[in-house]
Every structure is written in C-alpha cells, then in structure tokens.
C-alpha cells in the first residue's frame, strides 16, 4: 500500500544512525515521563472504546468556515498572519512568505480511503485553490499529519519541504524531488535562501510509525519558524516535556505559539498535551499569542469534540488565546478576545464565519 510510505535506506539511514535520539534500532524520547502525566487509574482504551466510546465526539452540524482567498490577496499589516485550516494544518504568512504546517486535505486520517477516522467536513478551500507556497513543514509521519493524497498533490507544485529525520523517505516515495527535502534532527536549522526565514527542529515527546513494523523508525519534532521580525512555535504532536523551557531559552521569545490541544486521554499524557498541559507548555515557552491546533477536525479520542476549546476558555485566564473560525486569517497582534463560535454548532445556530479582521547549527539548504 503506497500510503504506508517507504523505509529509510542508504545515506539517509546512515545519517539517522548518528542522531543522539537513535538507539541503534529506533528513535526514542530522551527524558523520563514527568510525574503525573499518566493517570495510573486510567486504563488504555480498547479498540471498541476508541472506535465507539465517548459522547459528542462529532459535532451536530457543520462548523462555520470562511474561504480565506480574498483575505490572502492582501498582505498582513503586522507581517504575521495565521489561518487555521483544520487539525494541525495552518497557513503561516511570515516574513513575506507562506509556510504550510502538517497539510492534510484527505478525507480520513488513515492509510485507507474507506476506513478510519473521517474528517468532520472538508477544508475551507480545495488544495488546488491554495496560493503559491514557499515552504511546507511536516512534523512527523502519523496519518493525521502526513497525508498521502495531499503530499502527492503538493509534489506537483515542487514546493520545498522541511521535516524530521527519516520522514523524507515517505516524501520521496510520493513524488517529492529529493533536492526539495530538508530533514532535521533536533536543534538543527536551515534557511530558505534569500529570504531571511529560518526553520529549526526542536524537541517534542511523541512517537512515529505508519505500519505494523516501523514504530519509531522516523523522528518527531516541534518546529520554530523565524523571520527578521517574528518567531512562531509549532508543537507538532507531543506530551508535556521540560524541553519547552530549553526551547524558550534557545529559540524564544515567540509571537505565536501553536500547541496541540485535542485527541487526548488520561492514559496518553506522555504523548499528547490536552488543553490543561498545553497551558503549562505555553507558560514554559514564555507566552505570546496561543493558537490551539489538533482539534475540531477528526475524532481521535473519546472526549467531546469541543472539550479542548471549553477547557481553554475556562482555565486560560490571562492567556492571549487566538481561536479563529476555520479558514479565518488572523493577525495575532490584532486579536483582543475570543468569540466561542463552536457553541453555536451544538445549539444548531452556527452561521458562516464573517471575514475578520542566534540559531543552532545549520544544515545546508539543498537547493544551494
């Protein structure tokens, strides 16, 4: 099955073997799990519970969404704008460039078109309608972050990719030219030539794998995107880790922090944040504006689909939350308050959204 991807070999595999995160057989999380991250009284959910358990896992109606194409035709006045397109897919406009994170347009977070978690609704615009992209970032190889049909389409655009060690093998297998791929280990950086934009891979606490025999064969990472004036942190998938303090010290401060808040469970505290630990991670990172991602798109856990948003509203006092509608371009410096649009979905009153308002060691860019 092509959607499973390809294993690393040759020079790519040799580079993986030199990573401090690689133990000779697979990648590993270097830090012990923080006390309390796993609820000892919470049993791992069974397959039946994962597929059928929980209440209100899917919204009652369509989420309000905005087609951002008109807004994108005008440059952001502040120089930094973000458009949440669903799950962990965000279009960042930073330093005059367009950077797309973990692009997933496929209908399911699955290797199959016919089975697996189905997205609540399509992305606000078709992939073919997207404007020219300057860079794509892929944090790790799980299906809800690395989507086979999406990458196949993006490969036709010849856009550069930055990703974690080993993930490039999948990209190559799906048509991305090898000279368009940069794979980074933690604390490695690359620059987009002639732009002043840099991307740095940073630690996260997660795992990887697309098949039955490739567990942790590729690395998982968070990423920092920095222009001359702005810096953005993107968590990818992660549990709470003390590395966030180190990330702040080495790569901060951040104008925008994008942290995963959905698809959590008490037994998964070491590999997913959930909203409460996301707030702790946000504090360790030193603040900024907080755009929650990894929610509102797929049912990947037993909690209600809107629970992450409600917890953030309840416990995020004093935090500059940025919680736009799907497809709503927002400039973090211009956001003053949150409009809880998701509540209208459950009440059957949802309406279409209205238009809103020194780095670590470098890795050569392959196009030089």
């Amino acid at each position: 099955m092509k959607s499973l991807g390809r294993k690393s070999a040759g020079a790519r595999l040799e580079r993986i073997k030199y990573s401090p995160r690689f133990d000779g057989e697979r990648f590993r999380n270097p830090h012990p799990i923080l006390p309390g991250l796993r609820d000892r009284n919470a049993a791992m959910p069974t397959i039946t519970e994962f597929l059928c358990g929980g209440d209100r896992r899917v919204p009652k109606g369509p989420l309000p969404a905005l087609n951002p194409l008109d807004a994108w035709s005008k440059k952001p006045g502040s120089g930094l704008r973000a458009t949440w397109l669903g799950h962990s897919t965000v279009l960042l406009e930073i330093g005059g460039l367009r950077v797309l994170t973990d692009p997933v347009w496929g209908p399911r977070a699955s290797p199959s078109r016919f089975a697996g978690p189905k997205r609540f609704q399509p992305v606000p615009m078709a992939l073919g309608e997207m404007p020219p992209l300057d860079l794509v970032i892929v944090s790790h190889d799980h299906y809800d972050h690395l989507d086979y049909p999406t990458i196949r389409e993006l490969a036709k655009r010849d856009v550069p990719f930055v990703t974690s060690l080993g993930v490039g093998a999948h990209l190559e297998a799906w048509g991305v030219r090898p000279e368009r791929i940069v794979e980074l280990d933690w604390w490695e950086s690359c620059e987009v030539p002639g732009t002043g934009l840099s991307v740095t891979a940073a630690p996260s606490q997660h795992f990887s794998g697309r098949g039955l025999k490739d567990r942790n064969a590729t690395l998982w990472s968070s990423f920092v995107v920095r222009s001359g004036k702005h810096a953005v942190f993107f968590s990818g998938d992660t549990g709470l880790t003390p590395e966030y303090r180190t990330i702040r010290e080495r790569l901060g401060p951040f104008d925008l922090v994008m942290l995963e808040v959905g698809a959590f469970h008490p037994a998964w505290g070491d590999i997913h944040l959930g909203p409460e630990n996301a707030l702790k991670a946000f504090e360790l990172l030193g603040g900024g504006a907080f755009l929650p991602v990894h929610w509102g798109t797929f049912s990947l856990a037993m909690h209600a689909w809107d629970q992450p948003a409600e917890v953030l509203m309840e416990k995020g006092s004093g935090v500059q939350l940025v919680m736009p509608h799907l497809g709503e371009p927002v400039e973090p410096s211009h956001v003053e308050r949150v409009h809880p649009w998701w509540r209208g979905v459950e009440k059957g009153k949802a309406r279409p959204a209205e238009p809103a308002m020194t780095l670590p060691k470098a890795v050569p860019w392959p196009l030089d």
Side-chain angles (χ1 to χ4, degrees):
M1 186 181 293
K2 290 183 179 180
S3 61
L4 291 176
R6 180 188 294 165
K7 292 183 178 180
S8 297
R12 175 176 284 114
L13 181 58
E14 289 303 309
R15 185 177 172 213
I16 285 173
K17 291 179 180 179
Y18 281 99
S19 170
R21 265 56 66 182
F22 195 74
D23 67 4
E25 296 183 356
R26 60 185 61 85
F27 287 99
R28 57 182 174 78
N29 291 303
H31 289 286
I33 298 171
L34 292 174
L37 276 189
R38 281 181 181 167
D39 185 342
R40 300 191 178 202
N41 298 317
M44 292 292 288
T46 65
I47 293 295
T48 301
E49 289 172 330
F50 180 77
L51 295 176
C52 306
D55 296 322
R56 295 199 310 108
R57 291 178 58 173
V58 175
K60 288 183 178 180
L63 279 56
L66 173 73
N67 188 312
L69 290 176
D70 286 344
W72 284 345
S73 67
K74 305 176 183 66
K75 294 182 179 181
S78 66
L80 176 64
R81 185 164 61 191
T83 307
W84 178 53
L85 298 172
H87 206 55
S88 296
T89 303
V90 178
L91 182 72
L92 289 172
E93 295 169 272
I94 177 172
L97 302 184
R98 296 189 182 102
V99 179
L100 188 64
T101 65
D102 286 357
V104 176
W105 262 256
R108 295 183 186 273
S110 164
S112 170
R113 293 180 296 167
F114 309 106
K118 187 176 181 179
R119 69 184 310 136
F120 299 157
Q121 65 194 56
V123 181
M125 86 290 300
L127 183 56
E129 295 179 309
M130 288 290 288
L133 300 171
D134 297 288
L135 186 66
V136 175
I137 292 174
V138 177
S139 63
H140 65 296
D141 71 2
H142 283 158
Y143 289 97
D144 56 324
H145 297 259
L146 178 63
D147 182 54
Y148 169 69
T150 301
I151 300 301
R152 288 283 293 172
E153 286 300 311
L154 288 173
K156 299 174 184 177
R157 293 184 170 221
D158 222 18
V159 60
F161 284 76
V162 173
T163 189
S164 303
L165 279 182
V167 179
H170 301 316
L171 301 178
E172 277 192 49
W174 301 337
V176 181
R177 291 194 292 133
E179 63 269 24
R180 288 283 175 175
I181 301 169
V182 176
E183 295 174 74
L184 299 177
D185 201 347
W186 295 354
W187 306 119
E188 291 180 339
S189 301
C190 63
E191 288 193 3
V192 182
T195 67
L197 192 77
S198 68
V199 181
T200 303
S204 65
Q205 186 167 282
H206 199 54
F207 66 104
S208 66
R210 296 178 70 83
L212 298 176
K213 298 181 179 180
D214 66 345
R215 177 86 168 201
N216 294 352
T218 62
L219 186 59
W220 48 95
S221 306
S222 61
F223 286 89
V224 173
V225 182
R226 182 176 288 278
S227 69
K229 295 183 178 180
H230 297 100
V232 176
F233 176 82
F234 171 53
S235 70
D237 275 1
T238 182
L240 187 62
T241 166
E243 292 280 16
Y244 279 119
R245 183 177 288 105
T246 307
I247 292 170
R248 178 191 67 198
E249 293 168 352
R250 296 183 66 170
L251 300 172
F254 304 111
D255 301 284
L256 179 65
V257 171
M258 304 191 300
L259 289 166
E260 59 130 285
V261 300
F264 65 95
H265 185 275
W268 304 342
D270 57 321
I271 56 172
H272 282 297
L273 286 171
E276 295 189 47
N277 281 338
L279 289 169
K280 295 177 183 176
F282 178 75
E283 183 177 357
L284 289 173
L285 287 165
F290 178 7
L291 172 62
V293 297
H294 204 264
W295 76 287
T297 308
F298 297 104
S299 176
L300 300 174
M302 280 62 72
H303 60 74
W305 76 273
D306 57 352
Q307 183 181 351
E310 288 296 341
V311 173
L312 289 174
M313 291 292 287
E314 176 188 354
K315 301 192 174 184
S317 176
V319 173
Q320 185 191 351
L321 291 171
V322 179
M323 301 183 71
H325 295 80
L326 282 169
E328 179 185 3
V330 291
E331 298 185 46
S333 62
H334 295 174
V335 174
E336 296 181 355
R337 62 187 296 265
V338 172
H339 300 278
W341 53 264
W342 55 89
R343 293 174 181 168
V345 176
E346 289 303 295
K347 295 177 181 178
K349 298 179 181 179
R351 297 179 180 178
E354 296 295 330
M357 39 166 211
T358 304
L359 293 170
K361 61 179 180 176
V363 173
W365 189 260
L367 304 184
D368 286 354

